[in-house]
């Protein structure tokens, strides 16, 4: 019973949802995978130290006074999959008649696989590939965007460990976390590859030729800047208490210039091996990261703006504003940028691999592509 209910809810308000033969009906673009594509942190338009009211206009869930309704942004998935109204697939524009978001915050590869092939239900929903089968049967699916593998590597644990090493233990995290990543990455990439295979299997079973649609496999952006690009010194507590980016320069440099590229390059390899399009997002947030020198906190005198505000959610460890699970994800502005990246990518030949970057001082319309390195 979970499958039709989940898909029905996602398509509510979209064009024609009646059953149709495979490849007919309204066209659809589908997003699958984890929090970096589901829309986690889409509630926020920059970061503000103000904890009351609209938080200087950054909190899109604000109703009035001290009343907040995350469902304004996440709908029925508030507190769970966090599929926001500005998630990548919904910010991409007119790629297809209908945008279907099957991705779920916290998902690992097994949550994508079909149940019949090792897939595991997650947060009350059937595995995403099984949900895709229902969409493929009632729509003409043209694009499937996939972001997966980060939770298999333990992204959340890495962020937590590095933050604790800064704020509590006064030590670095890059060395032991690099060892941990190296020990997990082969299995994680195998999961990414199998996720692509599972999507292919579902689409073939629904009568689609591989050439009838495209899969866009994307990498992850860095939500924190290099140490030298951080506007707060690491010698005091401003990175923790003001900026919400409690990381040492050495660990920041590792994350930005070693970890994120390592994952991107491995995902690129999977895309090449599986014959799908690769979208490299490693530089998408350059200069727009949490605590970046070229971005600003929102305040009573500095309004929320895609041109000047940060494009990622800071770490709100004490949850003075909302759930900590939103930390270190592209926010409303970042998701609009990712949507533009997807639209630009789909306009390229399906065989191309591209990298998406932002224009300094611009908004999502300033995103542009270069060949993937």
């Amino acid at each position: 019973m979970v499958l039709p209910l989940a898909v029905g809810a996602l398509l509510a308000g979209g064009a024609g949802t009646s059953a149709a033969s495979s490849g007919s009906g309204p066209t659809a673009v589908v997003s699958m995978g984890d929090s970096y594509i589901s829309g986690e942190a889409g509630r926020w338009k920059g970061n503000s130290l103000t904890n009351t009211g609209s938080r200087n206009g950054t909190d899109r869930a604000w109703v009035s006074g001290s009343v907040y309704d995350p469902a304004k942004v996440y709908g029925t998935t508030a507190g769970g999959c966090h599929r926001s109204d500005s998630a990548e697939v919904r910010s991409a524009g007119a790629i297809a008649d209908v945008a279907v978001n099957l991705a779920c915050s916290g998902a690992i590869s097994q949550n994508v696989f079909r149940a019949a092939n090792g897939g595991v239900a997650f947060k009350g929903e059937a595995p995403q590939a099984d949900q895709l089968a229902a969409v493929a049967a009632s729509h003409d699916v043209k694009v499937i965007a996939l972001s997966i593998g980060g939770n298999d590597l333990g992204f959340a644990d890495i962020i937590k460990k590095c933050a604790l090493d800064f704020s509590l233990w006064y030590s670095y995290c890059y060395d032991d976390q690099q060892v941990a990543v190296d020990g997990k990455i082969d299995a994680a990439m195998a999961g990414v590859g199998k996720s692509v295979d599972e999507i292919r299997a579902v689409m073939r079973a629904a009568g689609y030729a591989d050439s009838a649609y495209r899969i866009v496999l994307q990498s992850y952006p860095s939500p924190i800047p290099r140490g030298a690009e951080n506007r707060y010194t690491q010698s005091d507590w401003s990175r923790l208490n003001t900026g919400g980016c409690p990381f040492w320069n050495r660990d920041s440099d590792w994350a930005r210039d070693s970890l994120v590229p390592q994952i991107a390059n491995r995902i690129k390899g999977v895309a090449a091996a599986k014959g799908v399009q690769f979208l490299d997002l490693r530089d998408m947030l350059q200069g727009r990261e949490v605590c970046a020198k070229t971005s600003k906190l929102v305040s009573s005198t500095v309004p929320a703006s895609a041109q000047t505000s940060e494009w990622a959610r800071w770490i709100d460890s004490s949850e003075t504003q909302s759930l900590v699970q939103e930390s270190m994800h592209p926010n409303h502005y970042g998701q609009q940028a990712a949507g533009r990246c997807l639209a630009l990518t789909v306009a390229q030949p399906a065989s191309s691999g591209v990298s998406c970057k932002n224009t300094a001082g611009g908004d999502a319309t300033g995103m542009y592509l270069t060949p993937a390195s």
Side-chain angles (χ1 to χ4, degrees):
M1 293 299 292
V2 173
L3 177 59
L5 287 173
V7 174
L10 288 167
L11 297 180
T17 59
S18 59
S21 58
S22 301
S24 63
T27 58
V29 53
V30 182
S31 55
M32 301 177 67
D34 56 29
S35 57
Y36 274 78
I37 199 169
S38 74
E40 184 72 79
R43 173 176 174 174
W44 303 97
K45 297 169 69 174
N47 301 304
S48 169
L49 291 168
T50 300
N51 290 328
T52 58
S54 68
R55 280 98 183 209
N56 292 129
T58 62
D59 192 349
R60 300 173 60 229
W62 181 61
V63 177
S64 64
S66 59
V67 178
Y68 304 92
D69 181 14
K72 288 180 60 179
V73 175
Y74 300 118
T76 59
T77 68
C81 287
H82 274 188
R83 298 183 180 114
S84 77
D85 56 0
S86 59
E88 179 180 320
V89 73
R90 298 194 179 280
S91 293
I95 290 179
D97 298 328
V98 178
V100 183
N101 189 353
L102 302 180
C104 189
S105 182
I108 60 174
S109 296
Q110 282 185 301
N111 303 131
V112 174
F113 308 160
R114 293 167 294 170
N117 204 24
V120 178
F122 188 57
K123 295 187 178 178
E125 296 185 5
Q128 292 176 33
D130 291 327
Q131 296 186 55
L132 174 64
V135 179
S138 59
H139 293 75
D140 181 7
V141 175
K142 293 299 186 183
V143 179
I144 300 171
L146 175 64
S147 170
I148 201 68
N151 291 319
D152 299 70
L153 287 170
F155 261 4
D157 290 338
I158 293 173
I159 291 170
K160 181 178 179 180
K161 180 64 165 58
C162 291
L164 287 174
D165 279 355
F166 175 88
S167 59
L168 191 61
W169 304 120
Y170 307 104
S171 62
Y172 292 128
C173 72
Y174 74 90
D175 44 4
D176 56 325
Q177 291 306 299
Q178 184 64 66
V179 172
V181 168
D182 289 343
K184 295 178 180 178
I185 197 163
D186 287 345
M189 292 303 112
V192 174
K194 183 175 177 180
S195 295
V196 173
D197 292 341
E198 291 290 289
I199 291 170
R200 287 283 192 218
V202 166
M203 297 300 286
R204 288 168 182 164
Y208 289 75
D210 290 354
S211 60
Y213 67 100
R214 74 173 73 190
I215 297 174
V216 179
L217 178 61
Q218 61 190 53
S219 66
Y220 296 90
S222 174
I224 59 174
R226 298 174 179 90
E229 297 169 355
N230 195 307
R231 64 177 178 264
Y232 303 105
T233 176
Q234 65 175 348
S235 61
D236 59 32
W237 292 106
S238 56
R239 287 189 182 179
L240 173 65
N241 297 327
T242 305
C245 57
F247 306 103
W248 297 111
N249 284 350
R250 182 66 182 82
D251 291 337
S252 298
D253 291 345
W254 166 73
R256 181 66 180 86
D257 291 327
S258 294
L259 177 63
V260 169
Q262 177 186 13
I263 296 170
N265 291 336
R266 291 295 300 270
I267 292 176
K268 179 183 178 182
V270 173
K274 298 298 181 180
V276 301
Q277 192 171 20
F278 175 58
L279 170 56
D280 191 350
L281 297 180
R282 75 180 76 182
D283 297 322
M284 187 188 84
L285 298 178
Q286 174 62 38
R288 315 305 188 102
E289 307 99 332
V290 178
C291 296
K293 285 182 177 178
T294 49
S295 294
K296 302 175 182 179
L297 284 182
V298 179
S299 69
S300 59
T301 58
V302 180
S305 165
Q307 286 78 25
T308 61
S309 302
E310 296 162 329
W311 284 10
R313 181 64 177 162
W314 62 9
I315 294 181
D316 184 14
S317 57
S318 58
E319 296 190 335
T320 57
Q321 296 184 356
S322 68
L323 298 177
V324 72
Q325 76 180 62
E326 293 177 305
S327 301
M328 297 289 108
H329 289 83
N331 61 21
H332 178 69
Y333 297 134
Q335 289 174 25
Q336 289 180 321
R340 180 61 178 162
C341 290
L342 180 61
L344 292 171
T345 300
V346 171
Q348 298 298 310
S351 59
S352 65
V354 295
S355 177
C356 195
K357 303 177 181 181
N358 74 77
T359 299
D363 56 17
T365 62
M367 304 306 294
Y368 65 96
L369 301 181
T370 61
S373 57

